[in-house]
């Protein structure tokens, strides 16, 4: 079954939401909380160590019911089943979308092209487990017999962002191996990373689903050359492994079949950290923790697939985001984790969200008439409070934000944790309640030498919407839940917007032009380019 092709803007609920947004124009969160003492409870959800409070949003019961009605009209239920059952829902690339199969503990066969893929998934997981155990324990060594100390992941996009984010996020659970990530074709990035490394004790993982990506192949070639400056050719097999769907290209590159960790085309690059692309994660934290990460995501998959839409966390997050993007003209959304470990979470989400849903052609092959993906961005709190929060509080743009925090810290320092979480709660409260001119004028900390002219600058309108996600503790399992939560949110929005979330043709044009510019550098041929580009190329090559 393919995904339903329904223009959401023609549905009854979409039209009702438009009218409802207009009738909500003077909606005020502070007033709503005063009028409805059970608002916080009504608009909250708890599931498996995660608590979502979405009461600080511009919604009431009617909003929620219209949004849920929209999901029925676009047949979200059918779409979810189509995805989990391995239907070819990535129609433009002719592929199933089954990153969920990688973390499933179901005994049910998962069939792709008439074949149950479960045994193959298990075989790759076993290979990862065996390999990582041997490297971590020092049983497998480098070519001179020394244990490995460093691992370098060479990949870009989904072959870098997911593993890099998770390795960073799980820093607390890491072992002795030092992890490095080379992604940019910028040679300075490459040489800066390898300059202190010892070829005798460094393992390189070349990660590329297609094994055709210019950046990754260039970086891998450079790194291998650097390695061979001191090591014999025969040592390559002990130090270089690859993760790819393209076995032929990998062997052509000089990597032995035994050193290839296969992946499949039913896993999209930006959803691939659960596959062998997560090899660097398993090396960094050990296989057991990698397995817990998968289990957390698997649990979220079950929740997403089975919970009613009104009690379904990814669905609720998707509804809220869609409400703002399509009915309040929101263009950007923030994700603010109150954990330094999640430093790279927003960067990771940028690819997951924007490469998936940054599209203007609908599933019916025509341009859509409404907004699709917002711009997603963010940085950890409290650092971001001292950077861009001024704009969140007093700027002219409406930016709904997700705040993500953990009840328990990992090093158990309660003083720090209380201060961190005090900021976490204070910010969403401040964004909502704001501060009136009367409060400014009567507040002793503001008054001092304050005169009436200065008061407006200290007024906060408030009424700025946020979601709060409160998790028990950052662990491999809860991180798996969190990532899968956002993955499913992306899927739901793609279904609503009637777009194909799992292709990425938008990155192709730039890639093609880069190859043509590169070959024109070589032939010194600039005349085929526009005058501006030709002028710049000429200055560069002069
Ligand atoms: O930039 C586009 C993209 O195709 C991403 O979707 C993907 O994650 C990345 O390039 C890397 O691709 P590969 O793993 O095939 O090298």
């Amino acid at each position: 079954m393919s995904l339903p092709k329904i223009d959401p803007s023609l549905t009854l609920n979409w039209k009702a939401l438009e009218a409802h947004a207009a009738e909500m124009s003077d909606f005020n969160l502070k007033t709503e909380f005063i009028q409805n003492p059970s608002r916080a409870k009504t608009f909250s959800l708890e599931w498996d160590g995660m608590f979502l409070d979405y009461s600080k949003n511009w919604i009431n019961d009617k909003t929620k019911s219209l949004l849920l009605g929209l999901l029925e009209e676009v047949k979200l239920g059918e779409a979810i089943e189509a995805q989990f059952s391995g239907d070819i829902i990535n129609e433009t690339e002719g592929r199933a979308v089954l990153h969920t199969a990688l973390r499933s503990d179901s005994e049910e066969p998962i069939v792709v092209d008439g074949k149950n893929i479960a045994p193959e998934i298990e075989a790759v997981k076993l290979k990862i487990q065996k390999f990582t155990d041997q490297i971590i324990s020092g049983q497998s060594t480098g070519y001179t017999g020394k244990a490995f100390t460093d691992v370098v992941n060479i990949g870009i996009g989904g072959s870098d962002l997911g593993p890099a984010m998770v390795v960073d996020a799980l820093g607390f659970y890491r072992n002795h191996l030092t992890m490095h990530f080379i992604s940019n074709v910028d040679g300075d990035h490459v040489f800066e990373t390898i300059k202190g490394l010892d070829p005798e004790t460094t393992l390189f993982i070349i990660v590329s689903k297609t094994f055709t990506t210019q950046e990754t192949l260039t970086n891998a070639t450079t790194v291998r050359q650097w390695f061979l400056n001191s090591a014999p050719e025969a040592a390559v097999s002990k130090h270089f492994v690859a993760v790819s769907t393209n076995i032929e290209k990998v062997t052509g590159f000089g990597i032995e079949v035994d050193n290839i960790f296969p992946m499949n085309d039913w896993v999209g690059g930006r959803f691939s950290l659960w596959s062998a692309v997560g090899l660097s994660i398993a090396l960094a934290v050990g296989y057991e923790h990698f397995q817990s990460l998968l289990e957390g995501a698997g649990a979220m998959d079950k929740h997403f697939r089975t919970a009613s839409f009104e009690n379904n966390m990814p669905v609720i997050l998707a509804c809220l985001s869609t409400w703002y993007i399509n009915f309040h003209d929101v263009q950007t959304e923030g994700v603010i984790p109150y954990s330094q470990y999640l430093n790279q979470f927003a960067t990771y989400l940028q690819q997951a969200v924007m490469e998936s849903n940054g599209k203007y052609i609908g599933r019916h092959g025509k341009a859509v008439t409404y907004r699709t993906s917002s711009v997603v961005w963010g940085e950890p709190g409290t650092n971001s409070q001292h950077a861009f929060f001024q704009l969140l509080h007093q700027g002219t743009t409406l930016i709904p934000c997700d705040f993500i925090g953990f009840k328990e810290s990992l090093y158990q320092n309660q003083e720090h944790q209380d201060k961190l979480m005090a900021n976490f709660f204070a910010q969403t409260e401040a964004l909502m309640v704001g501060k009136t001119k009367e409060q400014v004028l009567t507040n002793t900390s503001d008054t001092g030498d304050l005169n009436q002219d200065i008061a407006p600058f200290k007024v906060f309108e408030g009424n700025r919407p946020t979601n709060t996600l409160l998790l028990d503790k950052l662990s491999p399992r809860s991180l798996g839940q969190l990532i899968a939560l956002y993955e499913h949110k992306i899927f739901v929005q793609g279904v609503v917007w009637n777009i194909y979330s799992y292709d990425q043709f938008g990155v192709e044009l730039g890639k093609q032009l880069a190859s043509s510019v590169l070959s024109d550098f070589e032939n010194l041929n600039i005349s085929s380019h526009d005058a501006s580009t030709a002028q710049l190329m000429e200055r560069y090559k002069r």
Side-chain angles (χ1 to χ4, degrees):
M1 198 186 74
S2 56
L3 290 180
K5 296 181 177 61
I6 297 163
D7 180 339
S9 67
L10 301 179
T11 63
L12 293 175
N13 282 284
W14 186 282
K15 293 195 187 308
L17 280 160
E18 280 172 341
H20 179 58
E23 88 203 4
M24 298 261 294
S25 59
D26 57 356
F27 180 91
N28 185 280
L29 278 167
K30 217 164 43 165
T31 317
E32 293 293 320
F33 273 100
I34 294 166
Q35 286 172 355
N36 178 2
S38 57
R39 181 177 172 87
K41 281 208 167 50
T42 306
F43 297 120
S44 290
L45 265 183
E46 187 167 15
W47 168 80
D48 201 2
M50 291 178 100
F51 185 76
L52 169 64
D53 180 332
Y54 60 99
S55 61
K56 294 190 186 83
N57 278 293
W58 294 358
I59 56 163
N60 57 26
D61 290 335
K62 183 172 174 189
T63 327
K64 189 171 165 184
S65 112
L66 292 174
L67 287 164
L68 295 175
L70 174 64
L71 301 183
E72 298 298 340
E73 279 191 278
V74 299
K75 300 195 170 47
L76 177 65
E78 274 180 32
I80 294 175
E81 276 321 295
Q83 164 162 276
F84 278 92
S85 317
D87 294 350
I88 309 294
I89 63 163
N90 176 0
E91 275 183 64
T92 45
E93 295 183 325
R95 292 172 185 166
V97 176
L98 278 171
H99 45 280
T100 50
L102 297 162
R103 55 224 193 180
S104 167
D105 61 2
S106 161
E107 301 288 306
E108 296 283 303
I110 307 160
V111 179
V112 175
D113 291 334
K115 195 176 133 205
N116 179 13
I117 57 171
E120 195 188 332
I121 292 173
E122 270 321 299
V124 176
K125 280 168 79 174
L126 268 178
K127 184 168 170 141
I128 296 174
Q129 181 171 21
K130 194 167 155 217
F131 180 77
T132 50
D133 285 352
Q134 286 176 344
I135 299 285
I136 295 166
S137 66
Q139 207 183 323
S140 271
T141 64
Y143 72 100
T144 55
K146 291 187 189 161
F148 287 103
T149 56
D150 294 79
V151 178
V152 183
N153 188 95
I154 305 172
I156 196 164
S159 300
D160 166 74
L161 291 165
M165 180 274 286
V166 174
V167 165
D168 205 31
L170 298 182
F172 183 77
Y173 302 88
R174 295 232 326 246
N175 53 38
H176 62 282
L177 293 170
T178 306
M179 309 301 295
H180 311 264
F181 288 84
I182 294 178
S183 49
N184 201 327
V185 75
D186 178 356
D188 291 344
H189 181 200
V190 180
F191 291 106
E192 192 59 44
T193 309
I194 57 180
K195 74 177 180 193
L197 294 178
D198 179 352
E200 291 181 43
T201 59
T202 304
L203 175 73
F204 297 96
I205 313 173
I206 308 170
V207 188
S208 176
K209 180 177 164 183
T210 55
F211 226 78
T212 56
T213 304
Q214 184 205 49
E215 291 92 329
T216 302
L217 295 190
T218 306
N219 290 342
T221 306
T222 301
V223 165
R224 188 171 62 174
Q225 195 47 55
W226 168 86
F227 177 76
L228 289 174
N229 287 342
S230 53
E233 183 77 41
V236 168
S237 66
K238 277 188 166 288
H239 288 257
F240 283 79
V241 299
V243 178
S244 185
T245 56
N246 196 337
I247 310 299
E248 206 182 313
K249 286 250 186 235
V250 182
T251 48
F253 183 82
I255 292 189
E256 290 171 16
V257 175
D258 277 355
N259 282 353
I260 303 175
F261 292 80
M263 59 185 290
N264 299 80
D265 68 4
W266 39 259
V267 182
R270 53 194 173 275
F271 300 94
S272 65
L273 68 91
W274 322 100
S275 71
V277 170
L279 186 60
S280 53
I281 302 171
L283 282 164
V285 295
Y287 188 80
E288 259 179 50
H289 286 320
F290 181 62
Q291 180 59 31
S292 301
L293 181 83
L294 299 184
E295 279 166 17
M300 178 55 80
D301 294 342
K302 272 190 209 148
H303 167 72
F304 176 54
R305 199 174 177 183
T306 58
S308 65
F309 289 165
E310 65 174 326
N311 293 311
N312 195 313
M313 261 189 214
V315 167
I316 292 294
L317 286 183
C319 281
L320 292 164
S321 168
T322 308
W323 172 232
Y324 292 116
I325 293 172
N326 297 113
F327 303 96
H328 296 284
D329 222 13
V330 153
Q331 298 188 29
T332 94
E333 292 172 281
V335 179
I336 322 289
Y338 275 65
S339 164
Q340 197 57 31
Y341 285 118
L342 293 183
N343 194 24
Q344 296 187 50
F345 192 62
T347 311
Y348 156 79
L349 275 185
Q350 286 180 328
Q351 186 202 16
V353 174
M354 297 197 272
E355 199 168 271
S356 299
N357 287 341
K359 293 168 187 167
Y360 75 99
I361 295 293
R363 289 200 289 272
H364 46 16
K366 288 185 241 128
V368 301
T369 53
Y370 41 83
R371 248 187 235 298
T372 58
S373 178
S374 66
V375 175
V376 176
W377 53 281
E379 285 288 329
T382 59
N383 293 9
S384 49
Q385 292 175 199
H386 300 271
F388 54 75
F389 268 48
Q390 164 65 38
L391 182 144
L392 296 184
H393 285 286
Q394 288 189 313
T396 51
T397 313
L398 173 64
I399 304 174
C401 291
D402 290 353
F403 279 67
I404 304 169
F406 298 90
K407 279 158 71 175
E408 214 181 299
S409 74
L410 298 180
Y411 283 94
Q412 307 289 337
N413 183 302
Q414 206 52 41
E415 186 195 339
H416 281 270
Q417 179 68 1
D418 285 346
K419 286 182 180 164
L420 177 73
M421 294 309 278
N423 277 279
F424 178 71
F425 298 124
Q427 287 297 330
T428 57
E429 186 169 36
L431 284 163
M432 181 185 78
V433 299
K435 192 170 190 181
T436 62
K437 192 171 174 193
E438 292 66 45
Q439 285 172 315
V440 172
L441 291 171
T442 51
N443 189 326
T444 45
S445 71
D446 282 325
T447 38
D449 57 357
L450 186 70
N451 63 40
Q452 288 276 348
D453 295 343
I454 300 298
F457 298 97
K458 298 201 166 192
V459 171
F460 293 67
E461 290 172 320
N463 203 30
R464 305 204 170 200
T466 55
N467 288 311
T468 300
L469 262 170
L470 188 59
L471 283 73
D472 287 347
K473 183 177 164 177
L474 178 57
S475 66
R477 189 175 189 281
S478 67
L479 183 65
Q481 293 174 309
L482 184 67
I483 300 169
L485 169 69
Y486 279 94
E487 285 182 344
H488 294 316
K489 175 187 171 192
I490 293 165
F491 171 75
V492 173
Q493 291 192 285
V495 171
V496 171
W497 288 326
N498 195 33
I499 53 177
Y500 287 115
S501 298
Y502 295 108
D503 60 24
Q504 54 286 315
F505 297 115
V507 292
E508 293 306 321
L509 178 62
K511 282 191 198 171
Q512 285 157 13
L513 278 180
S515 324
S516 114
V517 170
L518 185 62
S519 64
D520 289 343
F521 277 165
E522 279 150 23
N523 332 322
L524 291 174
N525 169 21
I526 57 169
S527 58
S528 63
H529 296 273
D530 68 85
S532 161
T533 309
Q535 162 182 269
L536 294 164
M537 286 168 70
E538 198 267 327
R539 287 187 84 86
Y540 173 64
K541 276 294 165 184
R542 199 191 304 167

